[in-house]
Amino acid sequence: MSGIPGSRLFDDAATQYLSYPVALVTLEPITLACMFRTNDVTTEQALINVGDTGVANGDRIALNFDGTGASDPIRALTRSGGIAVNSAKTGVLVNTWHQGTAVFPAADRRVVYLDGIAGTAETTAKAPTGLDVTYLGARAAGTIAAYLSGEMAYAAIWQAALTGQDIARLAAGWHPAAVQRAGLVACWDLAGVSDPELDAAGGYHLTLVNGPTRSQRVTRPIYREPVRPWRYTGFARGRVIGGGVCA
């Protein structure tokens, strides 16, 4: 198994995160996905958050990890009207790479996946408003909070509801750019080698806030060597090898 050249390392004590000053998605269907590794399973940590910065604890659509919950769940969360609802899947382990995906097929359905395994779907109708930013590694809801303590790689956003087969492919090591490419809005390898963090799909390059760094850890996500995000050379059968996506 090959390793990736690095991942983006976040220090919650230094309030580090990545930001884009626009909500990249606001209406379902939506999918948020990333690889992540936390070094603290006692706190809430945002992974991908599309939120409203103008209201304290405001509306948002999010994929997050909740170390304050029983058995450390990952969540697909929607908040509107002062109430948050979520689909949860327990089993996040400390210092372990996981693949997380939150799927929002419609306003009244959300389901989260941890390493390709689905949690229970939640079916309360919610319609967030005022969404104005996209954050990775922090929650945007008035006061910025829930900073990630750990690492993230291969984050992506789709204007589509990924299927179970799509999510199984992500969990098995497929590059996000090889999964439902027609609906892909943004895709960040998060290799930690560029500033801003480059988006391979839509050009939504992320600002580094408070200096998140590049991880040099030996343990890597399951992806093979990734494409350069600004130089994709092919998409043959979906897996990532060298300079293109191959079999």
Side-chain angles (χ1 to χ4, degrees):
M1 179 175 68
S2 301
I4 66 169
S7 55
R8 188 59 74 177
L9 177 64
F10 299 82
D11 180 356
D12 60 329
T15 62
Q16 295 175 343
Y17 63 101
L18 305 173
S19 73
Y20 192 78
V22 171
L24 295 182
V25 285
T26 59
L27 295 174
E28 299 82 0
I30 294 168
T31 300
L32 314 174
C34 69
M35 299 287 296
F36 70 99
R37 168 178 167 146
T38 179
N39 57 33
D40 182 354
V41 291
T42 66
T43 63
E44 180 186 0
Q45 298 167 44
L47 299 172
I48 304 176
N49 187 107
V50 181
D52 178 1
T53 58
V55 179
N57 204 17
D59 289 7
R60 57 187 178 273
I61 299 168
L63 170 66
N64 71 3
F65 159 68
D66 187 3
T68 68
S71 302
D72 302 321
I74 188 173
R75 302 185 190 275
L77 180 145
T78 309
R79 183 179 178 89
S80 70
I83 298 174
V85 295
N86 70 87
S87 163
K89 182 72 178 75
T90 59
V92 174
L93 302 176
V94 69
N95 293 325
T96 301
W97 278 104
H98 293 285
Q99 197 282 324
T101 303
V103 183
F104 306 85
D108 61 354
R109 186 173 179 85
R110 56 206 56 84
V111 61
V112 74
Y113 294 76
L114 180 64
D115 299 326
I117 301 174
T120 302
E122 203 288 328
T123 57
T124 304
K126 286 289 177 182
T129 61
L131 306 181
D132 59 3
V133 295
T134 302
Y135 285 178
L136 274 62
R139 183 178 71 215
T143 301
I144 301 170
Y147 297 98
L148 176 61
S149 181
E151 300 161 69
M152 191 187 305
Y154 296 105
I157 297 175
W158 288 261
Q159 189 73 72
L162 295 193
T163 66
Q165 182 181 57
D166 294 330
I167 294 161
R169 287 172 172 170
L170 290 175
W174 287 46
H175 195 283
V179 177
Q180 283 220 27
R181 292 194 299 276
L184 187 63
V185 173
C187 179
W188 305 278
D189 279 8
L190 303 182
V193 296
S194 62
D195 182 2
E197 190 71 61
L198 300 179
D199 166 27
Y204 302 114
H205 308 318
L206 299 172
T207 298
L208 279 61
V209 181
N210 297 326
T213 57
R214 180 186 181 216
S215 173
Q216 301 290 338
R217 291 185 183 276
V218 174
T219 303
R220 303 297 189 191
I222 59 177
Y223 290 96
R224 298 187 181 183
E225 296 176 10
V227 297
R228 292 177 178 268
W230 57 97
R231 290 183 58 196
Y232 286 143
T233 59
F235 292 102
R237 292 179 61 187
R239 294 186 182 272
V240 178
I241 300 176
V245 180
C246 319

